[in-house]
Amino acid sequence: MEKSTADSSNQPLEKSDAETGCLSIIVLGASGDLAKKKTFPALFNLYRQGSVKAEDVSEFLQLMKYTSGSYDTEEGFRLLDKQISEHEEAKSSADGSCRRLFYLALPPSVYPVVCKMIKLCCMNKSDLGGWTRIVVEKPFGKDLESAEKLSSQIGELFGEHQIYRIDHYLGKEMVQNLLVLRFANRLFVPLWNRDNIDNVQIVFREDFGIEGRGGYFDEYGIIRDIIQNHLLQVLCLVAMEKPVSLDSEHIRDEKVKVLQSVEPIKDEEVVLGQYHGYRDDSKVPDHSNTPTFASIILRIHNERWEGVPFILKAGKALSSKKADIRVQFKDVPGDIFNCEKQGRNEFVMRLQPSEAMYMKLAVKQPGLEMSTVQSELDLSYKQRYHGVTIPDAYERLLLDTIHGDQQHFVRRDELKAAWDIFTPLLHRIDKGELKPISYQQGSRGPAEADELLLRAGYVRTHGYRWIPPAL
Ligand SMILES: NC(=O)C1=CN([C@@H]2O[C@H](COP(=O)(O)OP(=O)(O)OC[C@H]3O[C@@H](n4cnc5c(N)ncnc54)[C@H](OP(=O)(O)O)[C@@H]3O)[C@@H](O)[C@H]2O)C=CC1
Ligand SMILES: O=C1O[C@H](COP(=O)(O)O)[C@@H](O)[C@H](O)[C@H]1O
């Protein structure tokens, strides 16, 4: 554990394996939407799993204390500190160490002042060890400059080992599976490169619009909301080299290298959309230029990926709700079965809904004739892992923060490299130099996005029909 009590240098003073002692989780912004929808349900589920008899939500609620106060004055934070200290004294654990986890479910504009107040009033004071950690949510900045400013402000108060920048996609089962799949299977090792892979798609679709989040969404748009963080993090795990070990720094070192190898985005490789009716939201200006859909090709300039387009696509108010990664392989040279037109090999990982991975491939059509058909090797989690509950991303990530594991959190240089990629494009959209194309709600988004996909080299399978296996 890090002993950060009397440490003003922001460096970890001491490490030990023990993660014991009184734990206080302080949710700042407890009455907000994020806390209601994600943070408290995740905490309740963690509590329920760790306790034998706590099925009852009232037991969980009894563990909570609510304090209200202003974010920019010492008074409220002194009171908060007093309450945490009382709790720590009441619970005084065998080794006397105390752990304080501050979860900032707040607008980023107040992160600096809140962090300042925590540092001033609420740090772990136990002489016997423990730690103070800060969890921050996205959006972490609006562009490179604002993100760096925010990072510097928080970085003056806390060490990188104390800051946990959440990207909840890194807590999803199938996203966490990526490293295992790529590096624990000999099957994939020789294939995962430009010699065999033609193109990669990382797709997020939602079948509902902004639903009351117009104020937030119009300021950020789909690129800042989904692509610059969630989809780009997935891209890193798809494209990175094998890390030296599973140590969080080793993994993040490799992710940074991928991000730094991304080439500048070209205008002709971007399609933006805005759904018809978006501007009806009372908080959205009548002439808003904010995209609710974007399809963007990223190109990675390195030995493994030169020439392979990574198509990142995200949209709101579309015909379906899903998130998946689709890796399309090249054609087989010298096709003796004349099966090329039936479609290429594709490896698909569906992150949601219903986690699955499947490989689309050509097989002999069952029967007397020597003809081929496109079929699949299918690992559908519901069928294969019958009765297993897959934990919510926030549950895993909260547990990681308690265990001090930063593997699934975004490091400062990673964040900077991510903003580096998208800032020029975002600035041009903000200035109105690039305009979104209008699309109908419940559609696939602008037809131009499918045209871009074809131009990128994606070959669609026609006539493929999946028959779900019976349970
Ligand atoms: N284990 C499982 O659960 C399995 C499920 N299936 C299901 O079978 C169905 C077919 O699977 P699959 O072939 O992989 O996926 P799809 O046919 O849904 O998509 C394949 C590709 O074609 C694009 N596309 C889809 N519709 C259109 C369109 N009208 N015009 C242009 N492009 C389009 C998709 O883009 P975009 O991604 O943007 O939609 C994607 O790039 C899916 O519903 C899939 O979920 C298949 C195998 C296993
Ligand atoms: O971060 C966000 O993610 C959600 C989608 O999360 P998911 O886990 O349901 O895929 C999205 O609706 C929201 O706009 C965005 O801020």
Side-chain angles (χ1 to χ4, degrees):
M1 84 193 130
E2 303 122 39
K3 180 168 175 267
S4 53
T5 324
D7 175 23
S8 58
S9 67
N10 287 342
Q11 296 303 313
L13 289 180
E14 196 180 287
K15 290 247 176 200
S16 92
D17 290 330
E19 281 288 342
T20 56
C22 178
L23 173 66
S24 305
I25 300 175
I26 303 100
V27 181
L28 294 141
S31 54
D33 197 51
L34 174 70
K36 186 172 111 191
K37 285 193 184 143
K38 300 286 188 188
T39 323
F40 286 118
L43 286 172
F44 175 58
N45 279 335
L46 285 174
Y47 175 68
R48 196 164 50 170
Q49 287 155 34
S51 168
V52 194
K53 55 179 175 51
E55 281 299 316
D56 183 359
V57 78
S58 63
E59 281 183 40
F60 176 67
L61 293 178
Q62 276 166 23
L63 294 174
M64 293 203 196
K65 287 200 179 96
Y66 180 77
T67 310
S68 70
S70 142
Y71 288 127
D72 56 0
T73 55
E74 275 186 52
E75 198 188 351
F77 283 88
R78 296 264 174 234
L79 179 64
L80 180 63
D81 181 59
K82 189 164 164 271
Q83 290 194 340
I84 305 169
S85 299
E86 281 168 9
H87 169 69
E88 288 169 348
E89 277 159 33
K91 293 273 164 191
S92 64
S93 61
D95 65 6
S97 68
C98 296
R99 298 170 292 165
R100 295 185 175 193
L101 181 63
F102 290 87
Y103 189 104
L104 274 55
L106 295 168
S109 53
V110 298
Y111 287 174
V113 67
V114 167
C115 286
K116 197 171 142 197
M117 291 299 157
I118 294 171
K119 180 81 184 189
L120 198 64
C121 311
C122 299
M123 300 296 281
N124 166 37
K125 293 168 188 61
S126 169
D127 294 335
L128 298 166
W131 43 253
T132 304
R133 291 178 188 151
I134 311 288
V135 184
V136 287
E137 272 285 347
K138 70 161 238 282
F140 203 83
K142 280 193 76 179
D143 59 7
L144 181 60
E145 195 189 340
S146 55
E148 273 294 282
K149 186 173 169 203
L150 200 50
S151 289
S152 302
Q153 286 170 324
I154 300 180
E156 279 167 20
L157 300 163
F158 296 100
E160 190 62 28
H161 65 288
Q162 294 173 300
I163 304 168
Y164 288 70
R165 295 180 196 84
I166 272 205
D167 183 312
H168 80 278
Y169 266 59
L170 291 176
K172 289 189 187 277
E173 180 71 28
M174 299 308 271
V175 176
Q176 298 206 339
N177 208 344
L178 267 164
L179 287 195
V180 180
L181 209 83
R182 285 194 52 204
F183 300 120
N185 290 295
R186 182 63 195 241
L187 182 69
F188 287 111
V189 175
L191 297 182
W192 211 260
N193 54 46
R194 64 191 297 271
D195 298 336
N196 302 289
I197 292 175
D198 191 90
N199 59 76
V200 178
Q201 288 183 65
I202 304 174
V203 178
F204 167 96
R205 296 179 165 276
E206 260 178 359
D207 55 2
F208 50 90
I210 49 167
E211 295 189 343
R213 293 169 79 216
Y216 155 80
F217 195 88
D218 199 67
E219 205 186 321
Y220 288 90
I222 198 78
I223 300 175
R224 292 182 177 97
D225 191 44
I226 303 287
I227 298 183
Q228 180 271 349
N229 34 66
H230 304 328
L231 301 196
L232 194 62
Q233 284 295 323
V234 173
L235 175 142
C236 286
L237 297 169
V238 173
M240 68 190 245
E241 296 301 313
K242 188 177 186 165
V244 175
S245 76
L246 290 180
D247 181 275
S248 54
E249 301 316 323
H250 289 154
I251 292 177
R252 298 186 300 177
D253 287 347
E254 295 305 332
K255 286 165 73 187
V256 171
K257 281 189 217 162
V258 172
L259 293 172
Q260 290 176 339
S261 305
V262 173
E263 292 178 354
I265 297 168
K266 297 191 188 94
D267 280 4
E268 62 274 23
E269 300 201 317
V270 176
V271 172
L272 305 175
Q274 188 186 79
Y275 67 81
H276 189 70
Y278 168 72
R279 297 176 191 177
D280 295 347
D281 186 292
S282 61
K283 299 219 173 93
V284 172
D286 290 345
H287 300 290
S288 168
N289 196 47
T290 301
T292 59
F293 176 101
S295 182
I296 300 172
I297 298 181
L298 296 188
R299 296 183 179 273
I300 301 170
H301 180 58
N302 68 16
E303 209 173 329
R304 184 183 290 274
W305 295 116
E306 189 75 50
V308 180
F310 283 73
I311 302 117
L312 270 50
K313 182 162 55 179
K316 299 253 175 200
L318 298 175
S319 52
S320 60
K321 179 170 162 51
K322 72 158 190 188
D324 64 23
I325 305 164
R326 184 177 300 271
V327 178
Q328 185 172 72
F329 288 83
K330 290 179 190 269
D331 293 323
V332 174
D335 171 22
I336 56 170
F337 298 102
N338 196 22
C339 61
E340 220 168 63
K341 60 181 182 307
Q342 284 173 344
R344 291 170 162 176
N345 288 161
E346 278 179 12
F347 177 65
V348 183
M349 289 183 84
R350 198 170 57 225
L351 315 184
Q352 61 194 37
S354 307
E355 291 84 351
M357 56 177 97
Y358 53 95
M359 172 73 91
K360 287 165 67 172
L361 72 184
V363 299
K364 180 184 164 301
Q365 170 87 56
L368 290 175
E369 283 180 30
M370 186 49 134
S371 58
T372 60
V373 66
Q374 192 163 54
S375 189
E376 72 283 318
L377 294 175
D378 184 352
L379 172 55
S380 295
Y381 272 44
K382 273 204 187 101
Q383 273 88 22
R384 178 64 179 81
Y385 300 108
H386 199 50
V388 173
T389 307
I390 294 179
D392 177 71
Y394 275 90
E395 287 172 40
R396 288 180 212 270
L397 296 175
L398 274 167
L399 204 57
D400 284 347
T401 60
I402 295 168
H403 291 155
D405 183 353
Q406 290 188 311
Q407 186 184 141
H408 305 298
F409 293 82
V410 181
R411 205 167 65 186
R412 180 174 171 173
D413 53 349
E414 210 180 330
L415 182 76
K416 178 175 183 297
W419 278 118
D420 239 337
I421 296 171
F422 288 101
T423 295
L425 173 66
L426 287 166
H427 283 176
R428 296 198 54 208
I429 299 170
D430 293 345
K431 283 190 216 148
E433 290 171 12
L434 293 177
K435 302 258 182 232
I437 302 161
S438 181
Y439 63 92
Q440 289 303 316
Q441 293 189 38
S443 70
R444 287 184 46 75
E448 286 80 348
D450 285 330
E451 287 159 19
L452 178 68
L453 191 57
L454 295 183
R455 269 193 279 131
Y458 180 73
V459 178
R460 219 176 140 216
T461 313
H462 289 283
Y464 169 72
R465 204 161 67 87
W466 177 63
I467 301 162
L471 265 182

